[in-house]
Amino acid sequence: MISAFSFVFFGKQIFSFMINKTVANVSEALDGVKDNMTFVFGGFGLSGIPENSIAELVKRNIKGLTCISNNAGVDDFGLGLLLQQRQIKKMISSYVGENDEFERQMLSGELEVELIPQGTLAERCRAAQAGIPAFYTPAGYGTEVEEGKETRAFNGKMHVLEHAFDADFGFIKAWKGDVAGNLVFKGTARNFNPNMCGAAKITVVEVEELLPVGELDPNQIHIPGIFVQRIFKGAHFEKRIEQRTVRPRK
Amino acid sequence: MLDKTGIAKRIAQEVKDGYYVNLGIGIPTLVANFVREDIEVEFQSENGVLGMGPFPFEGEEDADIINAGKQTITTLPGASFFDSAMSFSMIRGQHVDLTILGAMEVSENGDIANWKIPGKMVKGMGGAMDLVASAENIIVAMMHTNRAGASKLLKSCSLPLTGVGCVKKIVTNLAVLEVTEDGFKLLERAPGVSVEDIEKATAGNLIIEGNIPEMKI
Protein backbone atom coordinates (compact mmCIF):
# COMPACT_ATOMS: atom_id res chain seq x y z
CA MET A 1 0.00 0.00 0.00
CA ILE A 2 1.67 3.17 -1.15
CA SER A 3 -0.06 6.36 -0.17
CA ALA A 4 1.04 9.84 -1.10
CA PHE A 5 0.28 12.96 0.76
CA SER A 6 1.25 16.47 -0.08
CA PHE A 7 2.33 19.35 2.07
CA VAL A 8 3.66 22.81 1.62
CA PHE A 9 7.34 23.44 2.03
CA PHE A 10 8.82 26.90 1.61
CA GLY A 11 5.75 27.94 -0.33
CA LYS A 12 5.95 25.11 -2.84
CA GLN A 13 3.75 22.08 -2.83
CA ILE A 14 5.81 18.93 -2.89
CA PHE A 15 4.87 15.28 -2.57
CA SER A 16 6.18 12.95 -0.02
CA PHE A 17 5.71 9.24 -0.06
CA MET A 18 5.51 6.84 2.72
CA ILE A 19 4.55 3.20 2.69
CA ASN A 20 1.80 2.41 5.13
CA LYS A 21 2.45 -0.88 6.91
CA THR A 22 -0.56 -0.89 9.21
CA VAL A 23 -2.97 -3.77 9.37
CA ALA A 24 -6.27 -3.57 11.22
CA ASN A 25 -5.68 -6.23 13.82
CA VAL A 26 -3.74 -9.32 14.81
CA SER A 27 -5.86 -11.55 12.60
CA GLU A 28 -4.93 -9.58 9.48
CA ALA A 29 -1.33 -9.39 10.69
CA LEU A 30 -1.05 -13.18 10.72
CA ASP A 31 -2.62 -13.67 7.31
CA GLY A 32 -0.78 -16.51 5.56
CA VAL A 33 0.58 -18.42 8.56
CA LYS A 34 0.32 -22.16 7.94
CA ASP A 35 1.23 -25.54 9.37
CA ASN A 36 4.92 -26.52 9.25
CA MET A 37 6.23 -22.98 8.90
CA THR A 38 9.33 -21.55 10.60
CA PHE A 39 8.92 -18.49 12.82
CA VAL A 40 11.31 -16.23 14.73
CA PHE A 41 10.02 -14.65 17.95
CA GLY A 42 11.51 -11.65 19.73
CA GLY A 43 11.82 -11.58 23.50
CA PHE A 44 14.11 -12.54 26.36
CA GLY A 45 12.31 -14.60 28.94
CA LEU A 46 8.86 -13.02 28.96
CA SER A 47 10.22 -9.53 28.34
CA GLY A 48 9.49 -8.07 24.91
CA ILE A 49 7.59 -11.10 23.59
CA PRO A 50 4.92 -10.64 20.89
CA GLU A 51 2.02 -11.59 23.17
CA ASN A 52 -0.74 -10.73 20.73
CA SER A 53 0.71 -12.71 17.83
CA ILE A 54 1.33 -15.70 20.10
CA ALA A 55 -2.29 -15.56 21.31
CA GLU A 56 -3.47 -15.54 17.69
CA LEU A 57 -1.26 -18.54 16.84
CA VAL A 58 -2.79 -20.38 19.80
CA LYS A 59 -6.26 -19.52 18.52
CA ARG A 60 -5.50 -20.74 14.99
CA ASN A 61 -3.93 -23.90 16.42
CA ILE A 62 -1.60 -24.43 13.44
CA LYS A 63 0.81 -27.31 13.94
CA GLY A 64 4.25 -28.61 13.08
CA LEU A 65 5.93 -25.28 13.74
CA THR A 66 9.64 -24.62 13.98
CA CYS A 67 10.09 -21.79 16.48
CA ILE A 68 13.27 -19.78 16.86
CA SER A 69 13.29 -17.89 20.13
CA ASN A 70 15.89 -17.34 22.83
CA ASN A 71 13.59 -18.97 25.41
CA ALA A 72 10.44 -21.06 25.32
CA GLY A 73 8.23 -19.08 27.67
CA VAL A 74 6.85 -20.53 30.89
CA ASP A 75 4.22 -23.25 31.22
CA ASP A 76 1.22 -20.94 30.93
CA PHE A 77 2.56 -17.90 29.06
CA GLY A 78 4.58 -16.96 26.01
CA LEU A 79 5.60 -19.84 23.76
CA GLY A 80 4.59 -22.21 26.57
CA LEU A 81 1.03 -21.71 25.30
CA LEU A 82 1.98 -23.16 21.89
CA LEU A 83 3.78 -26.04 23.61
CA GLN A 84 0.65 -26.86 25.65
CA GLN A 85 -1.30 -27.42 22.42
CA ARG A 86 1.58 -29.41 20.85
CA GLN A 87 1.85 -26.86 18.04
CA ILE A 88 5.64 -26.81 18.06
CA LYS A 89 7.59 -29.55 16.30
CA LYS A 90 11.01 -28.03 16.82
CA MET A 91 12.46 -25.31 19.06
CA ILE A 92 15.71 -23.49 18.39
CA SER A 93 16.72 -21.67 21.58
CA SER A 94 19.66 -20.87 23.83
CA TYR A 95 18.05 -21.38 27.24
CA VAL A 96 14.88 -23.22 28.17
CA GLY A 97 15.21 -23.68 31.92
CA GLU A 98 11.95 -22.03 32.93
CA ASN A 99 9.45 -24.38 31.35
CA ASP A 100 8.54 -27.78 32.83
CA GLU A 101 6.28 -28.80 29.95
CA PHE A 102 9.09 -28.00 27.54
CA GLU A 103 11.50 -30.19 29.48
CA ARG A 104 8.96 -33.01 29.61
CA GLN A 105 8.30 -32.91 25.85
CA MET A 106 12.01 -32.72 25.11
CA LEU A 107 13.08 -35.59 27.37
CA SER A 108 10.23 -37.78 26.05
CA GLY A 109 11.30 -37.06 22.48
CA GLU A 110 8.00 -35.43 21.43
CA LEU A 111 9.74 -32.14 20.82
CA GLU A 112 12.85 -31.67 18.72
CA VAL A 113 15.23 -29.18 20.33
CA GLU A 114 18.32 -27.45 19.00
CA LEU A 115 20.15 -25.53 21.69
CA ILE A 116 22.57 -22.93 20.37
CA PRO A 117 24.69 -20.20 21.96
CA GLN A 118 22.79 -16.99 22.58
CA GLY A 119 25.19 -14.79 20.64
CA THR A 120 25.04 -17.23 17.73
CA LEU A 121 21.24 -17.06 17.82
CA ALA A 122 21.34 -13.26 17.68
CA GLU A 123 23.92 -13.24 14.90
CA ARG A 124 22.06 -15.83 12.80
CA CYS A 125 19.10 -13.43 12.91
CA ARG A 126 21.24 -10.43 12.11
CA ALA A 127 22.88 -12.34 9.24
CA ALA A 128 19.46 -13.16 7.78
CA GLN A 129 18.47 -9.52 8.12
CA ALA A 130 21.71 -8.35 6.53
CA GLY A 131 22.01 -10.78 3.61
CA ILE A 132 25.03 -12.60 5.05
CA PRO A 133 24.56 -16.34 4.39
CA ALA A 134 26.99 -17.57 7.06
CA PHE A 135 29.69 -16.42 9.46
CA TYR A 136 32.40 -17.80 11.71
CA THR A 137 32.17 -17.50 15.49
CA PRO A 138 34.38 -18.89 18.27
CA ALA A 139 31.31 -19.82 20.34
CA GLY A 140 30.76 -23.55 20.68
CA TYR A 141 34.13 -24.68 19.32
CA GLY A 142 35.15 -27.98 20.96
CA THR A 143 31.59 -28.62 22.18
CA GLU A 144 28.48 -30.47 20.92
CA VAL A 145 27.47 -27.28 19.11
CA GLU A 146 30.35 -27.75 16.69
CA GLU A 147 29.29 -31.25 15.58
CA GLY A 148 28.66 -31.50 11.85
CA LYS A 149 29.78 -27.95 11.19
CA GLU A 150 32.78 -26.58 9.35
CA THR A 151 35.55 -25.21 11.54
CA ARG A 152 38.45 -23.00 10.65
CA ALA A 153 41.34 -21.22 12.36
CA PHE A 154 41.63 -17.44 12.17
CA ASN A 155 44.62 -15.81 13.84
CA GLY A 156 45.44 -19.07 15.56
CA LYS A 157 42.00 -19.50 17.12
CA MET A 158 39.34 -22.00 16.06
CA HIS A 159 35.91 -20.90 14.87
CA VAL A 160 32.64 -22.58 13.84
CA LEU A 161 30.70 -21.79 10.66
CA GLU A 162 27.10 -20.82 11.44
CA HIS A 163 24.32 -20.08 8.94
CA ALA A 164 21.71 -17.35 8.70
CA PHE A 165 18.19 -18.39 9.66
CA ASP A 166 15.60 -18.92 6.95
CA ALA A 167 12.18 -18.16 8.44
CA ASP A 168 8.70 -17.53 7.05
CA PHE A 169 7.44 -15.05 9.64
CA GLY A 170 9.09 -12.91 12.28
CA PHE A 171 6.97 -11.86 15.27
CA ILE A 172 8.25 -8.72 16.93
CA LYS A 173 7.20 -6.60 19.91
CA ALA A 174 8.15 -2.92 19.96
CA TRP A 175 7.20 -0.12 22.35
CA LYS A 176 6.26 2.54 19.81
CA GLY A 177 5.95 2.44 16.07
CA ASP A 178 4.57 4.63 13.35
CA VAL A 179 2.38 3.60 10.44
CA ALA A 180 5.45 3.48 8.17
CA GLY A 181 6.85 0.70 10.39
CA ASN A 182 9.58 2.71 12.12
CA LEU A 183 10.19 1.25 15.57
CA VAL A 184 11.38 2.26 19.02
CA PHE A 185 11.99 -0.32 21.74
CA LYS A 186 12.00 0.11 25.50
CA GLY A 187 14.60 -1.06 28.01
CA THR A 188 15.72 -4.66 27.80
CA ALA A 189 12.46 -5.55 26.02
CA ARG A 190 14.55 -4.63 22.97
CA ASN A 191 16.73 -7.79 23.12
CA PHE A 192 16.38 -9.92 19.95
CA ASN A 193 13.54 -7.90 18.46
CA PRO A 194 15.60 -5.48 16.32
CA ASN A 195 17.81 -8.31 15.05
CA MET A 196 14.77 -10.30 13.94
CA CYS A 197 13.18 -7.46 11.94
CA GLY A 198 13.74 -8.32 8.29
CA ALA A 199 15.18 -11.71 9.23
CA ALA A 200 12.09 -13.55 7.94
CA LYS A 201 10.10 -13.30 4.72
CA ILE A 202 7.37 -11.35 6.54
CA THR A 203 8.01 -9.28 9.66
CA VAL A 204 4.96 -8.68 11.83
CA VAL A 205 5.26 -6.07 14.57
CA GLU A 206 2.93 -5.41 17.47
CA VAL A 207 3.34 -2.13 19.34
CA GLU A 208 1.96 -0.58 22.49
CA GLU A 209 1.60 2.79 20.77
CA LEU A 210 0.95 3.18 17.05
CA LEU A 211 1.64 6.72 15.87
CA PRO A 212 1.13 8.72 12.68
CA VAL A 213 4.25 9.41 10.62
CA GLY A 214 6.16 12.43 11.87
CA GLU A 215 5.54 11.67 15.55
CA LEU A 216 8.78 9.74 16.03
CA ASP A 217 12.06 11.67 15.88
CA PRO A 218 14.05 10.16 12.96
CA ASN A 219 17.20 10.44 15.12
CA GLN A 220 15.73 8.16 17.74
CA ILE A 221 14.38 5.34 15.58
CA HIS A 222 15.92 1.93 16.40
CA ILE A 223 14.61 0.06 13.35
CA PRO A 224 13.59 1.74 10.08
CA GLY A 225 10.30 0.67 8.53
CA ILE A 226 12.01 -0.96 5.55
CA PHE A 227 12.50 -4.08 7.71
CA VAL A 228 8.80 -4.30 8.58
CA GLN A 229 5.90 -5.58 6.48
CA ARG A 230 2.98 -5.37 8.92
CA ILE A 231 2.43 -3.31 12.04
CA PHE A 232 -0.52 -3.18 14.44
CA LYS A 233 -1.40 -1.92 17.88
CA GLY A 234 -1.62 -4.86 20.27
CA ALA A 235 -5.08 -5.14 21.82
CA HIS A 236 -3.71 -6.27 25.17
CA PHE A 237 -0.30 -6.52 26.81
CA GLU A 238 -0.02 -8.44 30.06
CA LYS A 239 3.76 -7.91 30.28
CA ARG A 240 4.18 -10.59 32.92
CA ILE A 241 7.23 -10.40 35.17
CA GLU A 242 9.09 -13.70 35.45
CA GLN A 243 11.27 -12.99 38.49
CA ARG A 244 9.96 -10.13 40.58
CA THR A 245 12.97 -8.98 42.59
CA VAL A 246 12.79 -5.87 44.76
CA ARG A 247 14.64 -4.25 47.63
CA PRO A 248 12.93 -2.82 50.70
CA ARG A 249 12.41 0.92 51.02
CA LYS A 250 14.49 2.38 53.79
CA MET B 1 35.28 -22.68 54.58
CA LEU B 2 33.33 -20.06 52.67
CA ASP B 3 29.63 -19.89 51.94
CA LYS B 4 28.32 -18.56 48.63
CA THR B 5 28.45 -14.99 49.90
CA GLY B 6 32.08 -15.52 50.92
CA ILE B 7 32.96 -16.74 47.43
CA ALA B 8 31.32 -13.63 45.98
CA LYS B 9 33.25 -11.40 48.41
CA ARG B 10 36.57 -12.96 47.42
CA ILE B 11 35.81 -12.64 43.69
CA ALA B 12 34.81 -8.99 44.16
CA GLN B 13 38.50 -8.35 44.97
CA GLU B 14 39.34 -9.31 41.38
CA VAL B 15 37.18 -6.51 39.96
CA LYS B 16 39.43 -3.58 39.03
CA ASP B 17 38.85 0.10 38.33
CA GLY B 18 37.50 0.74 34.84
CA TYR B 19 36.29 -2.81 34.26
CA TYR B 20 33.21 -3.77 32.29
CA VAL B 21 32.03 -6.98 33.95
CA ASN B 22 29.57 -9.69 32.92
CA LEU B 23 28.10 -11.65 35.82
CA GLY B 24 26.52 -15.06 35.34
CA ILE B 25 23.50 -16.37 37.20
CA GLY B 26 23.85 -17.63 40.79
CA ILE B 27 26.89 -16.86 42.95
CA PRO B 28 28.33 -14.45 40.30
CA THR B 29 25.28 -12.18 40.63
CA LEU B 30 26.17 -11.66 44.31
CA VAL B 31 29.58 -10.25 43.39
CA ALA B 32 28.07 -6.85 42.50
CA ASN B 33 27.16 -6.34 46.17
CA PHE B 34 30.79 -6.47 47.33
CA VAL B 35 32.74 -4.46 44.77
CA ARG B 36 34.77 -1.62 46.35
CA GLU B 37 32.91 1.66 46.26
CA ASP B 38 35.97 3.75 45.34
CA ILE B 39 36.37 2.19 41.86
CA GLU B 40 34.38 2.70 38.66
CA VAL B 41 32.82 -0.46 37.27
CA GLU B 42 29.94 -1.16 34.89
CA PHE B 43 27.98 -4.39 34.85
CA GLN B 44 26.83 -5.79 31.52
CA SER B 45 23.90 -8.13 31.22
CA GLU B 46 23.78 -10.01 27.93
CA ASN B 47 20.07 -9.41 27.40
CA GLY B 48 21.00 -5.84 26.54
CA VAL B 49 22.04 -3.46 29.30
CA LEU B 50 25.25 -1.84 30.47
CA GLY B 51 25.19 0.02 33.77
CA MET B 52 22.96 -2.32 35.74
CA GLY B 53 21.89 -1.08 39.15
CA PRO B 54 20.32 -2.75 42.18
CA PHE B 55 16.87 -4.32 42.36
CA PRO B 56 14.04 -1.76 42.20
CA PHE B 57 12.07 -0.60 45.21
CA GLU B 58 8.84 -2.47 45.67
CA GLY B 59 6.21 -1.06 43.33
CA GLU B 60 8.79 0.27 40.87
CA GLU B 61 9.52 -2.99 39.07
CA ASP B 62 9.26 -2.78 35.28
CA ALA B 63 8.67 -5.84 33.07
CA ASP B 64 10.74 -4.10 30.39
CA ILE B 65 13.88 -3.78 32.54
CA ILE B 66 15.35 -7.13 33.59
CA ASN B 67 18.73 -8.87 33.80
CA ALA B 68 19.84 -12.11 32.15
CA GLY B 69 18.36 -14.03 35.08
CA LYS B 70 14.97 -12.47 34.20
CA GLN B 71 15.01 -10.55 37.49
CA THR B 72 13.66 -7.01 37.63
CA ILE B 73 16.52 -4.50 37.95
CA THR B 74 17.23 -0.80 37.77
CA THR B 75 19.80 1.12 35.74
CA LEU B 76 22.37 3.63 36.98
CA PRO B 77 23.12 7.05 35.44
CA GLY B 78 25.19 6.46 32.30
CA ALA B 79 23.47 3.16 31.52
CA SER B 80 22.56 2.08 28.00
CA PHE B 81 20.26 -0.45 26.36
CA PHE B 82 21.05 -2.32 23.15
CA ASP B 83 19.98 -5.32 21.10
CA SER B 84 21.25 -8.89 21.51
CA ALA B 85 23.56 -8.82 18.48
CA MET B 86 25.28 -5.72 19.83
CA SER B 87 25.44 -7.26 23.28
CA PHE B 88 27.37 -10.22 21.91
CA SER B 89 29.54 -7.88 19.84
CA MET B 90 30.69 -6.55 23.21
CA ILE B 91 31.29 -10.08 24.46
CA ARG B 92 32.87 -11.79 21.41
CA GLY B 93 34.68 -8.58 20.49
CA GLN B 94 36.45 -8.73 23.87
CA HIS B 95 35.20 -5.36 25.03
CA VAL B 96 34.04 -6.91 28.31
CA ASP B 97 37.02 -7.06 30.71
CA LEU B 98 35.93 -9.74 33.13
CA THR B 99 33.47 -12.62 33.00
CA ILE B 100 32.38 -14.39 36.17
CA LEU B 101 30.31 -17.53 35.84
CA GLY B 102 29.31 -20.70 37.60
CA ALA B 103 30.28 -24.23 36.59
CA MET B 104 29.36 -27.86 37.20
CA GLU B 105 32.89 -29.04 36.32
CA VAL B 106 36.25 -27.50 35.41
CA SER B 107 39.20 -29.53 34.11
CA GLU B 108 42.87 -28.95 34.86
CA ASN B 109 43.44 -27.57 31.36
CA GLY B 110 40.67 -24.96 31.78
CA ASP B 111 37.75 -26.69 30.06
CA ILE B 112 34.37 -25.85 31.57
CA ALA B 113 31.03 -27.69 31.66
CA ASN B 114 27.95 -25.89 32.91
CA TRP B 115 24.98 -26.34 30.59
CA LYS B 116 23.78 -29.90 30.39
CA ILE B 117 23.53 -33.20 32.26
CA PRO B 118 22.58 -35.73 29.57
CA GLY B 119 19.22 -37.37 30.20
CA LYS B 120 18.62 -35.34 33.36
CA MET B 121 18.93 -31.62 33.04
CA VAL B 122 18.99 -29.67 29.82
CA LYS B 123 18.54 -25.98 30.34
CA GLY B 124 20.79 -24.72 27.59
CA MET B 125 23.97 -22.69 27.41
CA GLY B 126 22.40 -19.25 27.16
CA GLY B 127 25.27 -16.83 26.57
CA ALA B 128 27.87 -18.95 28.35
CA MET B 129 29.44 -20.46 25.21
CA ASP B 130 29.89 -17.04 23.60
CA LEU B 131 31.35 -15.69 26.84
CA VAL B 132 33.86 -18.47 27.47
CA ALA B 133 34.93 -18.70 23.82
CA SER B 134 35.85 -15.03 23.71
CA ALA B 135 36.66 -13.61 27.12
CA GLU B 136 40.33 -13.19 28.04
CA ASN B 137 39.60 -13.06 31.72
CA ILE B 138 37.24 -15.71 33.06
CA ILE B 139 36.74 -16.49 36.73
CA VAL B 140 34.64 -19.46 37.77
CA ALA B 141 32.65 -19.22 40.99
CA MET B 142 31.54 -22.59 42.34
CA MET B 143 31.53 -25.01 45.24
CA HIS B 144 34.63 -27.22 45.26
CA THR B 145 32.58 -30.42 45.37
CA ASN B 146 29.07 -31.36 44.25
CA ARG B 147 26.18 -32.35 46.51
CA ALA B 148 27.36 -35.96 46.51
CA GLY B 149 30.78 -34.80 47.71
CA ALA B 150 32.58 -35.50 44.41
CA SER B 151 35.22 -33.06 43.19
CA LYS B 152 34.23 -30.53 40.52
CA LEU B 153 37.89 -29.84 39.70
CA LEU B 154 38.77 -32.74 37.43
CA LYS B 155 41.46 -34.15 35.15
CA SER B 156 38.92 -33.89 32.33
CA CYS B 157 35.26 -32.93 32.37
CA SER B 158 32.71 -35.76 32.25
CA LEU B 159 29.79 -33.53 31.23
CA PRO B 160 29.28 -31.91 27.80
CA LEU B 161 31.64 -28.96 27.49
CA THR B 162 30.73 -25.30 27.34
CA GLY B 163 34.20 -24.23 26.23
CA VAL B 164 37.75 -25.53 25.94
CA GLY B 165 40.88 -24.23 27.65
CA CYS B 166 39.27 -20.98 28.70
CA VAL B 167 39.07 -20.80 32.50
CA LYS B 168 41.90 -18.80 34.10
CA LYS B 169 40.92 -18.65 37.73
CA ILE B 170 38.58 -20.52 40.08
CA VAL B 171 37.24 -19.38 43.43
CA THR B 172 35.53 -22.07 45.49
CA ASN B 173 34.35 -22.45 49.06
CA LEU B 174 37.77 -23.96 49.81
CA ALA B 175 40.36 -22.18 47.68
CA VAL B 176 41.51 -19.79 45.00
CA LEU B 177 43.21 -21.62 42.11
CA GLU B 178 44.83 -20.60 38.88
CA VAL B 179 44.65 -22.81 35.79
CA THR B 180 48.19 -23.36 34.50
CA GLU B 181 49.72 -25.59 31.83
CA ASP B 182 50.43 -28.19 34.51
CA GLY B 183 47.10 -28.09 36.30
CA PHE B 184 45.37 -26.27 39.14
CA LYS B 185 47.84 -24.08 40.99
CA LEU B 186 46.72 -23.44 44.55
CA LEU B 187 46.94 -19.72 45.35
CA GLU B 188 44.95 -19.26 48.55
CA ARG B 189 43.12 -21.30 51.18
CA ALA B 190 39.70 -20.37 52.58
CA PRO B 191 39.70 -19.47 56.29
CA GLY B 192 40.04 -22.60 58.41
CA VAL B 193 40.74 -24.88 55.43
CA SER B 194 44.01 -26.85 55.23
CA VAL B 195 46.02 -27.69 52.14
CA GLU B 196 45.17 -31.36 52.83
CA ASP B 197 41.43 -30.57 52.77
CA ILE B 198 41.90 -28.98 49.34
CA GLU B 199 44.01 -31.88 48.07
CA LYS B 200 41.30 -34.32 49.15
CA ALA B 201 38.58 -32.35 47.35
CA THR B 202 40.52 -31.88 44.10
CA ALA B 203 40.54 -34.72 41.55
CA GLY B 204 42.63 -32.91 38.93
CA ASN B 205 46.34 -32.22 39.26
CA LEU B 206 46.93 -29.79 42.14
CA ILE B 207 50.14 -27.78 42.25
CA ILE B 208 51.24 -26.66 45.70
CA GLU B 209 54.27 -24.40 45.88
CA GLY B 210 55.55 -23.04 49.19
CA ASN B 211 53.31 -21.72 51.90
CA ILE B 212 49.73 -21.21 50.79
CA PRO B 213 48.28 -18.07 52.37
CA GLU B 214 44.79 -17.82 53.78
CA MET B 215 42.32 -15.61 51.87
CA LYS B 216 41.70 -12.15 53.18
CA ILE B 217 37.97 -11.51 53.06
Side-chain angles (χ1 to χ4, degrees):
Chain A
M1 283 181 292
I2 298 184
S3 66
F5 61 93
S6 63
F7 59 94
V8 176
F9 186 67
F10 283 104
K12 287 180 185 167
Q13 183 163 297
I14 62 165
F15 287 91
S16 177
F17 291 88
M18 69 101 185
I19 305 176
N20 192 323
K21 305 290 176 69
T22 50
V23 291
N25 50 44
V26 68
S27 171
E28 201 177 305
L30 269 66
D31 192 31
V33 298
K34 290 200 290 273
D35 288 351
N36 306 313
M37 278 187 160
T38 297
F39 300 150
V40 295
F41 294 87
F44 188 99
L46 301 178
S47 188
I49 58 171
E51 297 181 25
N52 290 274
S53 292
I54 292 170
E56 180 68 14
L57 288 170
V58 169
K59 196 170 130 196
R60 295 193 183 199
N61 202 15
I62 56 172
K63 307 272 190 188
L65 303 175
T66 296
C67 295
I68 299 160
S69 166
N70 189 55
N71 312 95
V74 294
D75 282 329
D76 61 345
F77 200 56
L79 293 183
L81 299 170
L82 299 183
L83 285 165
Q84 270 183 20
Q85 295 198 135
R86 308 279 199 283
Q87 290 177 258
I88 303 177
K89 181 186 71 180
K90 180 177 180 182
M91 262 322 294
I92 302 176
S93 300
S94 88
Y95 190 84
V96 293
E98 292 93 0
N99 192 317
D100 293 337
E101 176 61 15
F102 181 100
E103 197 159 16
R104 193 197 64 71
Q105 288 186 26
M106 174 171 59
L107 292 175
S108 71
E110 290 166 64
L111 179 70
E112 197 183 331
V113 178
E114 186 182 342
L115 290 168
I116 63 174
Q118 195 177 131
T120 298
L121 200 162
E123 199 64 14
R124 288 177 71 183
C125 295
R126 205 195 71 83
Q129 177 191 62
I132 308 265
F135 58 91
Y136 281 100
T137 173
Y141 178 75
T143 76
E144 285 179 11
V145 165
E146 174 212 304
E147 285 170 18
K149 294 174 184 164
E150 290 177 41
T151 58
R152 184 170 161 181
F154 294 93
N155 304 319
K157 183 171 174 170
M158 290 304 292
H159 294 75
V160 183
L161 186 69
E162 297 281 2
H163 289 79
F165 286 125
D166 181 15
D168 298 295
F169 277 82
F171 296 109
I172 305 303
K173 154 77 197 325
W175 178 32
K176 294 177 183 177
D178 66 21
V179 298
N182 297 304
L183 306 178
V184 175
F185 301 90
K186 184 178 158 224
T188 54
R190 188 183 314 194
N191 55 65
F192 290 83
N193 283 295
N195 308 126
M196 289 175 171
C197 289
K201 292 181 186 79
I202 297 173
T203 296
V204 174
V205 183
E206 57 189 80
V207 292
E208 290 177 53
E209 286 183 54
L210 183 60
L211 302 163
V213 284
E215 293 286 308
L216 293 174
D217 177 354
N219 290 299
Q220 305 296 334
I221 286 168
H222 295 142
I223 282 289
I226 192 169
F227 294 111
V228 173
Q229 276 69 48
R230 302 173 189 174
I231 189 168
F232 68 101
K233 184 180 185 312
H236 176 69
F237 288 99
E238 179 180 334
K239 293 176 65 163
R240 193 185 291 187
I241 291 175
E242 205 164 328
Q243 302 281 344
R244 186 179 300 274
T245 45
V246 294
R247 68 190 145 130
R249 283 176 196 277
K250 292 245 164 72
Chain B
M1 198 191 303
L2 301 177
D3 58 7
K4 287 178 179 179
T5 304
I7 295 173
K9 280 184 182 168
R10 176 59 191 83
I11 291 178
Q13 297 171 14
E14 305 287 323
V15 179
K16 304 287 192 306
D17 191 31
Y19 268 15
Y20 292 101
V21 182
N22 180 289
L23 300 177
I25 295 165
I27 302 173
T29 306
L30 302 173
V31 172
N33 300 327
F34 305 110
V35 173
R36 277 164 51 189
E37 284 177 11
D38 60 338
I39 61 173
E40 293 178 348
V41 174
E42 281 193 34
F43 291 103
Q44 197 249 21
S45 194
E46 63 265 26
N47 58 317
V49 55
L50 254 179
M52 242 193 306
F55 294 146
F57 290 121
E58 201 167 350
E60 292 178 6
E61 15 358 328
D62 183 341
D64 293 331
I65 304 179
I66 61 169
N67 63 16
K70 285 98 179 173
Q71 296 170 311
T72 46
I73 54 158
T74 57
T75 54
L76 298 172
S80 55
F81 296 115
F82 36 85
D83 64 64
S84 299
M86 187 177 284
S87 179
F88 283 90
S89 298
M90 295 174 190
I91 290 166
R92 285 190 312 261
Q94 300 185 343
H95 307 286
V96 174
D97 299 289
L98 174 62
T99 294
I100 302 166
L101 75 176
M104 297 170 185
E105 294 178 348
V106 177
S107 73
E108 63 187 36
N109 66 336
D111 295 352
I112 176 171
N114 70 355
W115 72 284
K116 183 178 183 180
I117 303 173
K120 269 193 194 159
M121 189 284 292
V122 187
K123 292 190 184 301
M125 65 290 280
M129 282 194 184
D130 308 272
L131 282 158
V132 301
S134 311
E136 290 282 304
N137 194 1
I138 298 173
I139 301 177
V140 164
M142 66 176 191
M143 304 304 276
H144 212 98
T145 53
N146 65 20
R147 285 197 190 103
S151 180
K152 294 169 72 172
L153 289 94
L154 307 172
K155 277 217 149 341
S156 64
C157 293
S158 64
L159 295 170
L161 295 181
T162 309
V164 290
C166 51
V167 175
K168 303 290 186 294
K169 202 175 237 187
I170 306 157
V171 179
T172 74
N173 53 328
L174 304 183
V176 178
L177 308 106
E178 187 187 345
V179 177
T180 69
E181 282 184 10
D182 305 314
F184 300 113
K185 187 178 176 192
L186 184 57
L187 299 181
E188 298 173 23
R189 296 173 291 114
V193 173
S194 69
V195 170
E196 292 72 40
D197 293 334
I198 298 164
E199 278 183 301
K200 249 185 269 172
T202 308
N205 191 36
L206 186 68
I207 301 159
I208 303 155
E209 286 176 3
N211 264 338
I212 306 299
E214 192 171 287
M215 290 180 208
K216 292 187 182 73
I217 302 283

